[in-house]
Amino acid sequence: MAIMCPTKPREIEKNSKEDLMFKMLEKLPDSYYVFHSFSIVDVSNSVLYESETDFIIFHPNKGIISIEAKSGEIKYENGEWKYASGISMKHDGPFNQASRNKWKLINYIQKKNFNKILDKCKFLHAVWFPDVHKKYIDMIDLPSESIIELIITKDDEDELEKALDRIFNIQVSKKVETNLTKKEIDLLLNSILAPSFNLISLSELEKNHREKVFKLMLDEQIALLNYLEEQNNAIINGMAGTGKTIIAIEKAKRHSDNGEQVLFLCYNKNLKDFLKKEYNYENISFYTIDGFACKLCNTKEADYFKLKNRLEKMYLERIFPYQHVIIDEGQDFGKEKLEESEIIDLLKMNVLDNEELKGTFYLFYDKNQMIQSERIPMYIENSDCKLTLYKNCRNTENIAITSSRLLGIEKKPKLFKGSIKGSDTDMYIINENLKKIEVLNKIIDENSNKYNDIVIITCGIEKNSFLFDNCKDGYYEYKDKKILFTTCRKFKGLEADSVVLIDVNKNLFNISNEQLFYVGASRARFKLSIILDMTDEDCKNILKKINKKPTKNPAKILAATYNCKYKEII
């Protein structure tokens, strides 16, 4: 389906049929962007000028078409385009209007100083007559401003992309062909086409505000990095959302910009894949520890003792290929086999013991996220110098409080000045699987228009989840949406605007599992929803464990204890 902006047709005249055209355009492949009722407002010599284009079609590899739509009976008499009523059309008819709107868009892009786009993108215009068959067009003599190649008719409805291609293939002056870079495509979409709709929801305002606040915090964290420039070895601790990964990336980028090779290690494959995609800098190699072991030892399965021998050999021969090592989510490196093979120490020795190399070794960790191993690595425990990040810059205040309370921390988390309070964390308590899916769908409906991405996270394993049979290839398909369905372990280190935490039972409130619950909850940036599979008796028992008096409504008290809003199921 084409990417529609807005997602539903704007308010239109009853007989215009633009709503039907909108649905036809929506069926185009997802490589197309369609903008409905695109307006440009300009002031020249203190005079206000406004234009509105019925549809703008943008294809990154083909160009832009400005389309004027005219439904119903159309007349042309005495040099004028007229409606069936005999009333003259504005703007000298549909072809001149479509052409004029095309040039207004071109001028608008020029005013934005994006002239390079104009040299690399084809701009065309067309008129769509949804009620007229092509055979009638063929029978008439069109006025000079119109040609049949620029007309879309009722006959084109079933092969609309073919009709658009016919127009895109028309050669324009200067023989411009569309050949835009990704950066130019982003500029065209984000600075020209999309902003004109002023689609700023509350969630977007929250996001923009968060990014400003985060930038301030990042400046503060970069000041820490500047301080650490003289330190070749650092161990940095911080709770979820304190910016550990961003700081790690910033450090890696600095070395990359200097042409120095960086090994960036983490344990979680999904996190590695995300970092590699988003921060694909030339001199940074992203690996999981297992992937690195296979790469260095040329094996299909990770063998830490082979890796140990290889690292020892490289150390003795001074042939380690990286100048800097950065480990993210370092608490995950506490597995027994990793500890026994002393991999962390060997990595450090390879970059630090060779003074000519001028290497560095940084490790970032969160002692509250030990869900891949049972203990903090001895390397971290025995470190003489550990720095701690305190301020949360990922979550809203409400989500940060909920996440902290899941660890038994009653003290309010430290948030950066100006942080957003955000929406309440919603807590549902449901026992029936069909009802859980019904509530899940309701949550998706409420959040899909507010937030860019929604992720469903199970606190168990996928195959044991009530949602498993409703998912395909790791996605839950609902209406026209495909929503990622994953586990706390797999999504650790990542984040999403809206998180729905499911398969939460009484066992998650035990000390041994509370970190898993915390990891899942802290992935949410703006909205957290939790679906619990518990009875009133379960709620009472949990409240007793934390010295809370159960009342007639233990579910409501439990929700309030964890800074959540109890949502009754009707």
Side-chain angles (χ1 to χ4, degrees), residues 142-293:
L142 292 166
S144 58
E145 77 271 13
S146 56
I147 56 173
I148 196 167
E149 287 82 1
L150 296 178
I151 297 175
I152 301 171
T153 67
K154 186 176 180 63
D155 301 292
D156 294 314
E157 290 178 4
D158 294 330
E159 294 184 299
L160 191 53
E161 186 177 15
K162 187 176 180 181
L164 293 174
D165 280 340
R166 183 187 71 234
I167 298 168
F168 276 126
N169 288 332
I170 296 173
Q171 195 174 92
V172 296
S173 59
K174 298 183 181 178
K175 296 184 179 180
V176 173
E177 294 297 334
T178 302
N179 183 26
L180 297 167
T181 64
K182 184 181 183 304
K183 183 178 179 180
E184 287 163 343
I185 292 167
D186 290 342
L187 277 174
L188 193 52
L189 289 170
N190 299 326
S191 298
I192 302 295
L193 297 174
S196 63
F197 290 95
N198 298 319
L199 293 178
I200 303 177
S201 62
L202 175 61
S203 61
E204 284 298 310
L205 290 174
E206 286 182 344
K207 181 181 178 182
N208 291 340
H209 179 73
R210 171 184 171 273
E211 287 174 351
K212 289 177 183 177
V213 170
F214 181 74
K215 188 176 187 309
L216 290 173
M217 181 178 178
L218 188 57
D219 289 342
E220 189 175 88
Q221 307 292 40
I222 288 174
L224 170 64
L225 274 177
N226 290 336
Y227 167 75
L228 290 173
E229 282 291 335
E230 301 301 319
Q231 308 297 320
N232 62 3
N233 180 24
I235 310 296
I236 301 170
N237 175 45
M239 290 184 71
T242 52
K244 300 184 297 298
T245 300
I246 294 298
I247 298 169
I249 289 293
E250 173 63 22
K251 172 164 174 58
K253 182 178 181 299
R254 290 185 178 192
H255 294 309
S256 174
D257 290 344
N258 290 332
E260 300 164 357
Q261 296 298 315
V262 181
L263 173 63
F264 196 111
L265 291 175
C266 58
Y267 194 87
N268 186 342
K269 181 181 181 298
N270 290 337
L271 176 59
K272 183 269 293 181
D273 291 342
F274 171 79
L275 294 174
K276 190 172 183 178
K277 178 182 176 182
E278 294 296 317
Y279 306 102
N280 189 23
Y281 299 119
E282 184 178 358
N283 299 307
I284 305 177
S285 299
F286 293 99
Y287 286 102
T288 62
I289 183 62
D290 285 1
F292 179 66

Side-chain angles (χ1 to χ4, degrees), residues 43 75 83 96 122 129 137 157 193 225 268 279 293 360 383 422 457 463 520 529 536 541:
V43 175
K75 296 180 179 181
Y83 296 103
N96 284 326
K122 187 182 286 188
F129 296 122
I137 300 292
E157 290 178 4
L193 297 174
L225 274 177
N268 186 342
Y279 306 102
T360 62
S383 176
I457 302 178
K463 67 179 182 180
S529 305
D536 275 356
N541 291 334

Side-chain angles (χ1 to χ4, degrees), residues 71 107 112 230 237 299 355 383 409 466 491 555:
S71 62
N107 291 335
K112 289 277 190 178
E230 301 301 319
N237 175 45
T299 59
E355 293 183 3
S383 176
I409 301 172
F466 72 85
F491 205 65

Side-chain angles (χ1 to χ4, degrees), residues 390-403:
Y390 291 102
K391 294 179 181 178
N392 186 314
C393 62
R394 173 194 295 152
N395 313 122
T396 64
E397 181 179 333
N398 275 325
I399 294 172
I401 291 172
T402 297
S403 301

Side-chain angles (χ1 to χ4, degrees), residues 522-550:
S522 61
R523 301 305 98 199
R525 285 191 287 255
F526 301 118
K527 182 63 183 179
L528 174 63
S529 305
I530 306 174
I531 299 178
L532 278 70
D533 186 352
M534 288 166 46
T535 64
D536 275 356
E537 193 62 32
D538 292 333
C539 295
K540 286 180 182 179
N541 291 334
I542 291 168
L543 289 169
K544 286 177 183 177
K545 283 182 182 179
I546 56 177
N547 299 318
K548 295 278 185 180
K549 292 182 179 180

Side-chain angles (χ1 to χ4, degrees), residues 30-45:
D30 58 10
S31 52
Y32 284 85
Y33 296 82
V34 179
F35 301 86
H36 179 228
S37 190
F38 183 89
S39 61
I40 296 177
V41 179
D42 190 23
V43 175
S44 180
N45 297 323

Side-chain angles (χ1 to χ4, degrees), residues 455-507:
V455 173
I456 304 167
I457 302 178
T458 173
C459 288
I461 58 177
E462 291 103 323
K463 67 179 182 180
N464 292 340
S465 172
F466 72 85
L467 197 62
F468 181 70
D469 290 336
N470 295 277
C471 293
K472 183 180 179 182
D473 299 326
Y475 286 88
Y476 175 58
E477 296 187 14
Y478 172 64
K479 292 184 177 178
D480 59 342
K481 305 172 184 68
K482 290 180 69 175
I483 300 166
L484 179 65
F485 170 59
T486 186
T487 68
C488 293
R489 285 182 168 85
K490 291 179 181 178
F491 205 65
K492 193 168 71 67
L494 300 168
E495 57 186 44
D497 285 355
S498 173
V499 166
V500 186
L501 212 53
I502 64 172
D503 302 312
V504 179
N505 55 44
K506 61 183 180 181
N507 297 326

